[in-house]
Amino acid sequence: MKAIRIHKCGGPEALLYEELALPEPKPGEARVRIEAIGLNYVDIYQRSGLYPLQTPFTLGMEAAGVVDAVGAGVSDVKPGERVAYAMVPGSYAEYATVPAWRLAPLPANVNAQAAATLMLQGMTAHYLAHSTYNLKQGETALVHAAAGGVGLLLIQIAKMRGARVIGTVSTEAKAQLAKNAGADHVILYTQQDFLAETKKLTDNKGVNVVYDSVGATTFDKSLDCLRPRGCIVLFGQSSGPVPAFELGKLGAKGSLFITRPSLTHYTLDRAELLARAKDLFEWTASGKLKLRIEKTFALKDAAEAHRLLEGRMTTGKVVLIP
Ligand SMILES: NC(=O)c1ccc[n+]([C@@H]2O[C@H](COP(=O)([O-])OP(=O)(O)OC[C@H]3O[C@@H](n4cnc5c(N)ncnc54)[C@H](OP(=O)(O)O)[C@@H]3O)[C@@H](O)[C@H]2O)c1
């Protein structure tokens, strides 16, 4: 089978399209013939070495396809079943072996590309708005990178929860997408001071929660956007890691809460995984949640997809096709 492998971490040129032996499922695993692979920002952290993995490795954390073999003791899925998963390394490939409990069976009305959008970015938006910070009717959320993969989904789910959403984006075109997704206000954080604008939009009170995936360039000001007892959810670092942080600042700035969540800990068991997947699949099938699959690339062209994602030139989801 073909796969994208990394022998030495680095830029997009580190992605090598290679031939590998077909993997055999071990006990508790299923083998998936992959139809659609989700591109995610974590792929860039792993490719660059910011999140170190032992080399050589097959990149990728999300895919959808069809089960074609199962290992001993598997009862959660059967050969022939359409499934999707996330948070298991090795999805930039024609086949992958995956712990069977991590596979969500797909309803007939959710296609592989949609599923490869929902399992990582969709699940993340779901847990951020329901579990990390349980958004309530009338609360205000600030969502950075609002036209990105997670961003466009998080806006929609936050609106379903009855929140008011302020989004930040880098361009006018991205602002339009965030508005179309339901954002009440959009700030061009490359041209406007997002702290001053957020204060203006909240009568100087600040927001209840900031969902910050940008990190280095936004974190300090994000804290100042919060009202007393507000919560900063630092869930990514597209602009670079946030430096060491003095906890005393949380008190001085208004008894704030801070958390650094990961999807792994919000899909701890099969029941939690399937409950989130059920919501996402139903909302997508009914049209309540709209997916933007902006671009698809052949798997062998993954390097080009990485250049665009890292260069802030994508919106919504990018899917790779093996
Ligand atoms: N913790 C978790 O469980 C979890 C799960 C999924 C994703 N994430 C995180 O969520 C974030 C979004 O992931 P995604 O896959 O949906 O990506 P994405 O939002 O589609 O792409 C990243 C976006 O970040 C913004 N950005 C700001 N400064 C940047 C910079 N210096 N370089 C690159 N991008 C910059 C860009 O939007 P603008 O051009 O509008 O600024 C860019 O489009 C990532 O930080 C990712 O690690 C975390």
Side-chain angles (χ1 to χ4, degrees):
M1 69 162 189
K2 294 289 189 195
I4 294 273
R5 303 273 290 168
I6 295 199
H7 293 261
K8 191 168 179 297
C9 291
E13 69 287 348
L15 303 176
L16 302 179
Y17 191 57
E18 296 183 341
E19 185 69 30
L20 280 187
L22 195 64
E24 289 304 323
K26 296 189 188 71
E29 289 183 346
R31 185 171 66 206
V32 179
R33 179 170 52 74
I34 293 176
E35 293 178 342
I37 300 156
L39 179 72
N40 292 289
Y41 219 89
V42 66
D43 305 348
I44 292 184
Y45 307 141
Q46 292 181 346
R47 188 209 70 214
S48 69
L50 181 66
Y51 290 1
L53 294 179
Q54 199 180 345
T55 53
F57 64 91
T58 302
L59 196 62
M61 297 288 272
E62 179 184 36
V66 178
V67 174
D68 89 325
V70 294
V74 168
S75 56
D76 289 324
V77 292
K78 295 188 286 298
E81 202 164 2
R82 298 171 59 247
V83 293
Y85 69 92
M87 305 314 278
V88 181
S91 68
Y92 281 25
E94 290 178 311
Y95 292 83
T97 48
V98 178
W101 75 266
R102 284 217 153 263
L103 293 169
L106 300 185
N109 50 12
V110 174
N111 67 34
Q113 291 197 18
T117 299
L118 293 170
M119 293 307 290
L120 204 153
Q121 293 174 343
M123 289 262 182
T124 298
H126 189 285
Y127 85 71
L128 290 174
H130 292 82
S131 308
T132 304
Y133 185 91
N134 184 15
L135 267 176
K136 287 177 255 341
Q137 180 83 29
E139 291 189 333
T140 304
L142 177 63
V143 176
H144 288 308
V150 175
L152 287 177
L153 298 169
L154 182 53
I155 292 172
Q156 295 177 72
I157 296 175
K159 290 307 297 176
M160 286 181 208
R161 314 260 323 141
R164 177 179 178 221
V165 179
I166 303 172
T168 63
V169 296
S170 63
T171 66
E172 290 286 358
K174 288 186 176 188
Q176 195 54 53
L177 289 174
K179 277 185 198 144
N180 294 348
D184 298 280
H185 312 275
V186 182
I187 301 168
L188 285 171
Y189 58 179
T190 41
Q191 298 169 30
Q192 295 168 287
D193 178 352
F194 76 80
L195 171 57
E197 294 301 315
T198 301
K199 289 278 174 161
K200 233 186 271 171
L201 289 166
T202 56
D203 295 331
N204 229 25
K205 290 196 179 88
V207 299
N208 301 87
V209 57
V210 182
Y211 293 108
D212 189 340
S213 66
V214 173
T217 57
T218 47
F219 180 77
D220 284 340
K221 277 193 180 174
S222 292
L223 284 176
D224 291 328
C225 288
L226 289 166
R227 63 182 59 189
R229 308 206 304 254
C231 179
I232 180 157
V233 179
L234 178 70
F235 71 101
Q237 45 198 2
S238 324
S239 69
V242 173
F245 175 73
E246 170 52 55
L247 284 175
K249 280 190 193 170
L250 295 177
K253 288 180 187 286
S255 301
L256 304 179
F257 293 84
I258 186 166
T259 179
R260 179 43 176 110
S262 163
L263 176 57
T264 304
H265 308 122
Y266 286 88
T267 47
L268 276 177
D269 56 27
R270 187 155 179 79
E272 186 173 34
L273 177 88
L274 294 184
R276 295 194 198 281
K278 181 172 182 286
D279 282 349
L280 292 164
F281 293 158
E282 283 178 4
W283 295 337
T284 303
S286 70
K288 199 170 165 190
L289 183 68
K290 300 217 165 28
L291 309 185
R292 177 177 169 83
I293 300 174
E294 193 208 1
K295 285 193 171 74
T296 59
F297 288 85
L299 176 59
K300 66 176 172 46
D301 298 327
E304 183 54 21
H306 272 229
R307 282 187 194 99
L308 294 183
L309 181 59
E310 250 176 315
R312 302 169 81 162
M313 285 180 284
T314 63
T315 58
K317 186 69 175 178
V318 177
V319 171
L320 308 175
I321 308 292

